[in-house]
Amino acid sequence: MSRLKDKVAAVGVGYSAIERTSSRSLGALTMEAIRRAVEDAGLAIEDIDGLATFPEIPVFGNPHVDGVDVVSTSYMVRMLGLEGRLRWHTQTDNLVPNTFIETANAVAAGACDYAVIFRAMHNPGGRYNAYTSNLAVGRHQFTAPYGSHRGYQYYGSAYQRYMHLYGATREHMATLILNNRRNAHLNPNAYFRDVPLTKEDYMNARMLADPVCLLDCDIPVDGAAAIVLTSGERARALPNAPAYVAGYGQFSSPSLSMGPPLEHLVEGATAVADRMWEAAGIGPGDIRLAQFYDGYSFFVYFWLEACGFCKVGEAFEFIQDGRIELEGELPVNTFGGQLGEGRLHGMGHLAEAVLQTSGRAGERQVRSVDATLAAVGPMNGGSAAIVFTREPV
Amino acid sequence: MAETGVSLPPLPVPDELTKPFWDAAREGRLHIQRCQACRRYYHPPQVICPKCVSSSLEFEAVSGKGTIHSFSVMRDQRVQGFEEKVPYITVLVELDEQPLLTIVTNLPDAAPEDVRTGLRVEVWFERLTDEITLPQFRLAR
Ligand SMILES: [Zn+2]
């Protein structure tokens, strides 16, 4: 059973503006997100004594300049004037849900009282994440010489196999894409808030690497988001309804095979999901709505199946007939996902899980959210999943 | 880059771990690393066997035969040197020697409509420079 129950709650969420290319620096956007999250929690910056992030730009060859294309914890400590105040900080590898989990454990251990987790993402412009070297070193030497570099090629191959094995089509996927876009229309932070999308748009979208088209990929943006965590006891004295961290699952070994093959993605996601359920002490039937990582649309299928909402090979049918819509039996990616909101690398999924649990998701609020989950990452290596509950137990 | 029209595909840089693979390829042989203790194959190569933690890992010749596990037809210009090659096929080949022992390759002689999961393929070798030869695959006759 999880040691976190009743001990840690998310109490504030903040976003910067999310733009394709911002005129402001990533450092400035991150400050904006953090200030808004702290204010949302009913706190002041001086209250913050814990700070954590995952500072990475997942783009080939980018320089990693603090405040420009990445934002580190130490950079933000200085910008926020927290040098004399901070009691705990960290930077994690892997994706931001792992940062969230580290921070939750720090709060539970009493290492800090009010902690902020942030994630800053930069869109460098030009062709996003192109391979721009005439050499292929390290792990690239077995892929780049074959023109294989982008996730929509290698993860896309796993999706191709999924379609081949189970009979999923692009038409099935259109349901998920349109669901996300409809939800984005109700999310004031979403990049695609005001941009309508039809099934024809999806079916006719430019193919990047068959079977993956442009609209199966999230949209790279400049932007940041932040979440405030504190103890359950302190949370109950703050203005927002707490979103309690009920349990989590993390860590799956990276595949030892090239690809990685579909089979290893499923294995990785299942390992994470199994630990999450065990820690939270509940199961899929207790979950009111879910946020699934959609850096690529088809990841949602793999997560739905790994978490046990349907059997392996059935997710593309499960999402049909309104089941994942806001009024459906399991609303999915209620904020629009990264496909609709923008590429915050999983931070949007965590923020939405907090807002829905707290009853503060505005026009897109789902009724009676007792428990929700956010499962973030590309299945094997770096992925994690977290359950939130409205009540502490 | 794309504008010049002279960019070359990324050239593999062999390292301590991978040199035997590229040495064998230069001589027209597909060698894959294998744990001498538990007999498991690895690609890409490992320093220590992740299954039995033996450090006794050697490269051994494999049949060069396999099956198309999955594939992708790349239509986007996103890799230097491949601008003029789109659309091109990248394939995950499952080698006959072990389940999910996979290798990334192209099928330079095949058209996208000829490629299907489960088709049999075999290795051939594409010489890039005096030092580097690339194992490639084609549909088995
Ligand atoms: Zn071994």
Side-chain angles (χ1 to χ4, degrees), chain A residues 127-138 141-150 152-153 156-158 160-161 164 206-210 256-259 261-264, chain B residues 1 8-15 18 21-22 42-46 50 69-80 82 88 90 92 100 102 104-106 117 134-136:
Chain A
R127 292 176 307 163
Y128 188 81
N129 195 8
Y131 196 95
T132 54
S133 169
N134 46 26
L135 295 178
V137 301
Q141 69 188 285
F142 296 116
T143 51
Y146 300 93
S148 178
H149 168 57
R150 291 302 313 269
Y152 51 73
Q153 295 176 277
S157 292
Q160 180 277 327
R161 183 167 177 81
H164 168 80
R206 180 164 69 92
M207 298 305 290
L208 297 178
D210 306 357
L256 296 170
S257 300
M258 301 221 48
L262 172 65
E263 289 78 352
H264 288 172
Chain B
M1 286 163 277
L8 293 169
L11 195 64
V13 179
D15 53 48
T18 66
F21 177 91
W22 296 111
Y42 291 102
H43 183 71
Q46 303 290 327
H69 188 74
S70 57
F71 63 93
S72 161
V73 180
M74 180 65 160
R75 300 184 184 277
D76 199 28
Q77 294 183 329
R78 209 59 73 115
V79 180
Q80 175 173 317
F82 283 81
Y88 59 89
T90 57
L92 198 62
L100 295 181
T102 47
V104 172
T105 178
N106 304 127
T117 300
L134 214 53
Q136 285 283 17

Side-chain angles (χ1 to χ4, degrees), chain A residues 122-193:
Chain A
H122 177 55
N123 174 25
R127 292 176 307 163
Y128 188 81
N129 195 8
Y131 196 95
T132 54
S133 169
N134 46 26
L135 295 178
V137 301
R139 64 186 177 88
H140 295 297
Q141 69 188 285
F142 296 116
T143 51
Y146 300 93
S148 178
H149 168 57
R150 291 302 313 269
Y152 51 73
Q153 295 176 277
Y154 54 88
Y155 289 129
S157 292
Y159 178 40
Q160 180 277 327
R161 183 167 177 81
Y162 181 96
M163 296 169 90
H164 168 80
L165 289 176
Y166 306 120
T169 64
R170 292 191 65 233
E171 193 137 18
H172 290 118
M173 183 58 84
T175 305
L176 176 71
I177 304 292
L178 295 180
N179 173 71
N180 278 22
R181 185 60 66 94
R182 272 193 308 273
N183 292 343
H185 295 328
L186 303 176
N187 175 2
N189 296 313
Y191 176 79
F192 283 125
R193 181 188 50 199

Side-chain angles (χ1 to χ4, degrees), chain A residues 48-72:
Chain A
I48 301 305
D49 58 358
L51 198 60
T53 193
F54 167 51
E56 194 217 23
I57 175 165
V59 170
F60 184 84
N62 244 70
H64 284 77
V65 179
D66 226 343
V68 176
D69 63 352
V70 293
V71 178
S72 71

